[in-house]
Amino acid sequence: MSNIELIEDDLFPMPEANGEGFHIDSVEKAEWALSKIAFAEKRILDREMMADALIYRIKERLGDITKQDRDTVENMKAMLHPWAEVEITKQGKTKHVKLLGGEVGFRQSPARLEVIDTDAALSSLPESCIRIKKEVDKTATKKLIETTGELPDGVELVPGEVKFYVEAKGLQIEEKK
């Protein structure tokens, strides 16, 4: 048990349960429950932060240890490229060479369209090449409903709901290591 848990147990001792089991029916019991929530939430956050730090360190280390392998892959590809060109030229129609360890070759990728000036493209293209995305502006629609009092077709005004919330404020004491 950590020092924080010991301090919290002194400040917020577990209330006595009556014969029917534990129920929150007093300020003391509510305070105790909130202290348990706050401490559990802090442990969750601490574990998440620790996991994030470990993941970062693992990824950083992975980058370091795989750099040599990535360099090897690039160097081998660079050396295979001219050899493959010569071998494929010798074979004639084929665009690849099959080997025991794999295959090397060349593939033609399809042409792709890149829009470099959207305004110029939109003004010079026919309507059939222009796509317009339409969507309901919820903020403007809500204001329209409030102003007119009328509900347009195809929309529904869902009333807000009361939701229970708990904000536990734990002790801000850092445990000494």
Side-chain angles (χ1 to χ4, degrees), residues 44-60:
I44 290 167
L45 183 61
D46 288 347
R47 289 181 186 126
E48 288 172 347
M49 288 173 42
M50 204 176 345
D52 289 345
L54 285 171
I55 290 167
Y56 175 80
R57 286 176 45 202
I58 289 168
K59 285 183 177 180
E60 192 174 63

Side-chain angles (χ1 to χ4, degrees), residues 1-13 171 173:
M1 186 175 279
S2 71
N3 292 341
I4 292 176
E5 285 175 309
L6 291 172
I7 292 169
E8 282 195 335
D9 286 344
D10 288 340
L11 292 173
F12 305 105
L171 297 175
I173 300 172

Side-chain angles (χ1 to χ4, degrees), residues 8-103:
E8 282 195 335
D9 286 344
D10 288 340
L11 292 173
F12 305 105
M14 181 172 178
E16 295 293 323
N18 57 24
E20 301 169 8
F22 182 76
H23 297 287
I24 297 176
D25 54 10
S26 68
V27 171
E28 293 79 19
K29 290 179 179 179
E31 288 289 352
W32 177 82
L34 284 173
S35 74
K36 292 300 174 189
I37 291 171
F39 190 73
E41 287 176 343
K42 181 177 181 342
R43 282 197 321 245
I44 290 167
L45 183 61
D46 288 347
R47 289 181 186 126
E48 288 172 347
M49 288 173 42
M50 204 176 345
D52 289 345
L54 285 171
I55 290 167
Y56 175 80
R57 286 176 45 202
I58 289 168
K59 285 183 177 180
E60 192 174 63
R61 179 71 178 127
L62 180 63
D64 293 343
I65 62 178
T66 59
K67 183 187 181 323
Q68 184 178 356
D69 290 334
R70 291 184 196 283
D71 291 346
T72 298
V73 168
E74 290 308 311
N75 289 335
M76 293 300 114
K77 282 182 177 181
M79 288 190 280
L80 278 168
H81 189 274
W83 176 83
E85 284 179 324
V86 170
E87 287 299 310
I88 290 169
T89 303
K90 287 180 194 176
Q91 291 182 10
K93 288 187 174 184
T94 185
K95 293 185 179 182
H96 63 273
V97 178
K98 290 187 177 186
L99 304 164
L100 287 175
E103 186 176 307

Side-chain angles (χ1 to χ4, degrees), residues 130-136:
I130 298 174
R131 178 175 51 195
I132 298 173
K133 182 180 177 183
K134 290 185 179 183
E135 61 183 32
V136 175

